[in-house]
Amino acid sequence: MEFKNDVAALDALREKFEALKNEIKKVIYGQDEVIDQVLVSLFSRGHVLLIGVPGLAKTLLVTTIAKTLGLKYNRIQFTPDLMPSDIIGTEILDNERNFKFIKGPLFANIILADEINRTPPKTQSALLEAMQERSVTAAGEHFDLDKPFFVLATQNPIEQEGTYPLPEAQLDRFMFSVWLDYPKLEDELTIVRNTTSTYTNEPKTVISGNEIKFFQDLIRKVPVNDNVLQYAVTLAAKTRPGNGHSAEVSNQYLKWGAGPRASQYLVLGAKTNAALHGKYSPDIEDVKAVAPSILRHRIIKNYKAEAENKSIDDIIDQLL
């Protein structure tokens, strides 16, 4: 892709973003904020964890986004008996009695890890290297995954039966943790009307893999003012109880705060959010826009917060 300068390229990115949203909204109703955050994560080279009760169209959202991106897409249904080799791949003996590695469903551009907390930690951890390094090691060999590589995992709330909580190391690999809530009444009316009739509206592909890679590289070039950088790093430091920068609400209600990866994602997410909304450099409002989804799964409440029924989002609101 060639543009006169980076400003023209950022303008093209905003146009693609609007086109993507318009196509996705042909199928997904009333989840505009969720769509925005998934696309911010995509162009930031991050991964997304979607959390919500069954029936909120988490899987449909991911499959619709995959159709608009024109990338190779695989869905992995996580179950209690799923093994690491079921997602990475396995060695077999071929007709000439030589070992041959058969690639698993992880070898795609977009991975839907459906109900990731339905499978034991051994299989959950098989995603760790792939999500962080964009590569896997199997049968003693190193395999690079295709780029772009984007994991969208769905999760049922932990309170539900038959779930395994994701370990903190796995959670930290996700850029965003996005809560899906019940739709508004008017949106639910539209959903029911369209899904119980012959209505069909297939989304079109509007962006290619090479374009996505180009725009992901472009985001890294977006300049950030020192005051925005300072705000993002200070915000992450405020979540860590017991240090010189911690906020009072953190000392009072948090057991564990966000690490340096949160600071990196706050800056990267702010850059992408700014670019997708027509700005050429992020401001503090862009950091605030992405902060809840970045911090939500990186801070852990203490017993006092549990006893007083303080939610993570309440604590983040106070930090902001």
Side-chain angles (χ1 to χ4, degrees), residues 50-56 58 154-157 160 178-181:
L50 294 170
I51 303 175
V53 297
L56 294 184
K58 298 186 294 295
T154 69
Q155 174 178 304
N156 294 318
Q160 297 217 336
V178 179
W179 282 93
L180 271 81
D181 211 344

Side-chain angles (χ1 to χ4, degrees), residues 5-25:
N5 50 43
D6 287 347
V7 169
L10 286 168
D11 289 338
L13 171 58
R14 193 184 74 251
E15 288 170 15
K16 286 288 185 183
F17 171 63
E18 293 299 330
L20 280 168
K21 280 206 302 184
N22 289 337
E23 290 302 314
I24 294 165
K25 285 196 281 188

Side-chain angles (χ1 to χ4, degrees), residues 67-171:
K67 286 175 184 176
T68 65
L69 298 178
L71 299 173
K72 187 181 177 187
Y73 160 73
N74 278 334
R75 173 182 174 177
I76 306 171
Q77 184 66 50
F78 281 76
T79 56
D81 59 350
L82 194 74
M83 298 295 289
S85 59
D86 293 330
I87 64 172
I88 294 173
T90 188
E91 273 193 316
I92 63 164
L93 271 173
D94 63 17
N95 294 335
E96 296 171 0
R97 301 190 66 77
N98 294 318
F99 280 106
K100 180 182 178 183
F101 180 69
I102 303 297
K103 292 179 178 179
L106 202 56
F107 287 84
N109 299 112
I110 299 180
I111 303 297
L112 167 56
D114 212 1
E115 296 188 295
I116 192 172
N117 60 332
R118 291 280 179 203
T119 202
K122 182 180 180 181
T123 307
Q124 290 173 355
S125 66
L127 275 175
L128 275 172
E129 183 189 1
M131 290 173 65
Q132 182 63 23
E133 307 296 336
R134 266 68 175 181
S135 63
V136 296
T137 304
E141 282 192 70
H142 185 83
F143 298 92
D144 287 324
L145 296 168
D146 293 338
K147 293 177 182 176
F149 179 71
F150 185 42
V151 174
L152 275 155
T154 69
Q155 174 178 304
N156 294 318
I158 296 301
E159 295 79 16
Q160 297 217 336
E161 289 184 17
T163 57
Y164 299 82
L166 284 168
E168 283 75 15
Q170 178 80 30
L171 282 171

Side-chain angles (χ1 to χ4, degrees), residues 33-35 37-38 48-52 58 176-180 293 296-297:
E33 190 178 339
V34 174
I35 293 167
Q37 294 194 18
V38 170
V48 178
L49 180 64
L50 294 170
I51 303 175
K58 298 186 294 295
F176 281 162
S177 171
V178 179
W179 282 93
L180 271 81
S293 294
R296 186 176 286 132
H297 54 303

